[in-house]
Amino acid sequence: MKGGIRKVFAYMVRYRAAGLFLFIFCLLTLVTLVNPTFLEWQNLRDIAVQAAPICIISCGLMLVLVTGEIDISVGSMMGLLAACMGAMASLSRGNWPPGVVIPLTLGIGMLLGLLNGWLVAYAGIPSIIVTLGMLTALRGVTELIMAGTWITDLPSGIRFLGTGTWLGIPVSVWTALAVFLVSLWLVHQTAIGKRIYAIGSNPHAARLAGLPIKPIKVFVFAWTGLLTGVATLVSVPQLSVVDSGIGVGLELLVITCVVVGGTAVNGGIGNLGGVLCGVVLMTMISTVLIFMKLGEDATYWSRAIQGLFILGAILADHWISNQRKT
Amino acid sequence: MKQRIHHILWQPETFLALLVASLFGLMGQLDPAFIQWHVQRELSTHAWELAIIAIPMTLVILTGGIDLSVGAIMSLTAITLGMLFQSGCPLPLACLAALLAGILCGALNGWFITRMQVHPLIITLATMAAYRGVAEGISRARPVSGFPSSFAWLGQGLWLGIPVAGWLFLGLLVVMLWMMHARSFGTHVYAIGLNSTATRFSGIRVDRMLLAIYTFSGGVSALAAILLVARRNTAKADMGMGMELGVITAVVIGGVSIFGGRGSLLGTCLGILLIHETREFVSWHWNRDELNLLALGALLILSVVFQKLLRHKRATP
């Protein structure tokens, strides 16, 4: 029996996702015991829809963190992309067909990512500075574009991306699934995936081995920009109003999910399963608190509980990595 | 001698001072009313909280760390002050409790960072959510107001023609300048930022210093929160939202390397001045806040590029 526990424990130490998964499972059991309606299809679907854009961006951001860089501009980037998409697609402004708006939004996202990547890799500015600057500047551009107005008349073609379903499952969830699978393929099946990890775990060795460090760094930032575009397309049309405040604070939520999922900020370590569990956990918490029937107080304490979960995840990680060493 | 002049000339501080001077010149040309003393004094009220927190943030970044939780500590301490005052506690005692709460929050950050060996970015990201969450929880997201008018003097009043908050900033600055330049403390801070392992092996208690610096950061954030509450006459859980990014931007524009070990308090002061004047002038002259954000972001990236070029220039006379 003791050996069995030790085996399970060793597995959890080895695979971060397993530990998180177990934790999510316990939380689910607890909330279902208190309130069985939690497991109703409608509720699970709402959680999935909330998690989808976070999951999409996290897949990109994880790779950025794995190369040892950071990107805190995704929130403002999403704001700008939403403004661009709204201005191009809305019936009263551009009224362009979705076939044009979608590739253009993705293209702008990728260009912004390329700019980030170029400034980091080729101009040699620390990524936290570049993306902090972008966080501020892009929000300014968004406000310039929106000029204090808001957009409420998105055409049905674009709206479908946010609210439509296919086989009973929302489009955004399908998209998140696709992005996740592509990311899995990218990380595990391609040379570039291996190189991303190589650069993050030992930059010096990677340079000596002749890996193209700069292009790969540009790639991860551009990929994150592209995915931010995807997330914008599937999440913003759910809203009835597009204004200049979309995506404020998103960067911190995404980084939190990625870090809770076991990605190291110093680079080299990170796995997609863990990130997915991190996303599910962080988006579940607020709903769980409501379903626990803790009363009105719980809503005020939700951020504190979220903070405690993050601290808990970090401490668990610290403890586990100590166990691994001994 | 020539080499020395060359060295001083290519310091980021020299470059920043020139930039600030030319900015003032430009503003004087475009709008002479803006650079009058009483206008500047009035506008300076917006900057003191940021300026005060920038001092410990400079130390934190010089050691190669970062503190994202300063805004959340402001929120928690403001709420501590407000709730205690509301429950009938005398105001000076409530302020003292707020300071203590800030110091505790900072010490907790420092403890996690030194004991758990976790990256400061991650720890302070987590405590940022936790501290603001606790502030929201205990205040139930409701504002507290109705402070006596004598309290407002702290945030709005003048003493010898300069705002009280300004005196606090100057006092703190002078003490820290003395600490950084006349005591071994300053040298140790730079040493930790440049190579913390080597510093530890030199017999310097790195962990104790880091703990002290993060605690100091928490305490000063609480001080800023008290000033902010006094100025606005309310305490709310969303106070200090986004403060951390503003402060870090000011410090980095001031020439402090985000990797630690390079930069100075003088540079930080110039960085604060540059940001503050740019921000206020854009709002004053064009009355457009969105240009402000754009200018700030561009300023941050460009100043870091310039500093990189300057460093290169300084190294090759």
Side-chain angles (χ1 to χ4, degrees), chain B residues 217-232:
Chain B
S217 173
V220 172
S221 304
L223 184 65
I226 294 171
L227 291 175
L228 190 63
V229 172
R231 179 153 71 82
R232 297 229 186 116

Side-chain angles (χ1 to χ4, degrees), chain A residues 70 72 119 123-126 128-130 132-137 139-141 143-144 252 255-256 259 265-266 296-297 300-301 303-304 306-308 310-311 314-315 318, chain B residues 66 112 115-116 118-119 121-123 125-130 132-134 136-138 140-141 241 245 248-249 252 258-259 288 290 293-294 296-297 300-301 304-305 308:
Chain A
I70 195 165
I72 55 172
L119 284 170
I125 314 174
I128 187 160
I129 305 287
V130 168
L132 177 61
M134 284 291 179
L135 177 75
T136 321
R139 186 63 63 191
V141 176
E143 289 183 0
L144 272 178
L252 293 179
I255 291 174
T256 305
V259 169
V265 272
N266 295 328
E296 196 197 353
D297 281 357
Y300 295 117
W301 285 97
R303 201 200 292 258
Q306 229 160 8
L308 283 183
I310 310 170
L311 272 178
I314 292 163
L315 297 186
H318 172 74
Chain B
I66 199 159
F112 276 127
R115 280 297 157 84
M116 300 285 170
V118 186
H119 197 288
L121 184 76
I122 299 302
I123 277 299
L125 190 68
T127 52
M128 176 168 114
R132 194 177 294 280
V134 171
E136 271 174 9
I138 57 179
R140 304 174 124 246
M241 199 77 116
L245 294 183
I248 293 168
T249 307
V252 170
I258 200 81
F259 301 123
R288 312 259 315 250
E290 61 269 24
L293 293 172
L294 195 58
L296 210 63
L300 177 62
I301 294 177
V304 175
V305 172
K308 208 175 151 67

Side-chain angles (χ1 to χ4, degrees), chain A residues 259-274:
Chain A
V259 169
V260 167
T263 312
V265 272
N266 295 328
I269 303 170
N271 100 11
L272 281 164

Side-chain angles (χ1 to χ4, degrees), chain B residues 13 31 50 57-58 70 88 90 101 105 132 169 175 191 228 234 284 288 309:
Chain B
E13 285 83 3
D31 204 335
L50 188 145
M57 187 66 90
T58 307
V70 287
C105 288
R132 194 177 294 280
F169 168 71
V175 171
L228 190 63
T234 35
W284 170 279
R288 312 259 315 250
L309 293 176

Side-chain angles (χ1 to χ4, degrees), chain B residues 74-93:
Chain B
M74 279 181 78
S75 145
L76 183 55
T77 51
I79 287 300
T80 310
L81 172 63
M83 297 300 278
L84 280 176
F85 173 70
Q86 206 176 32
S87 63
C89 179
L91 202 49
L93 211 61

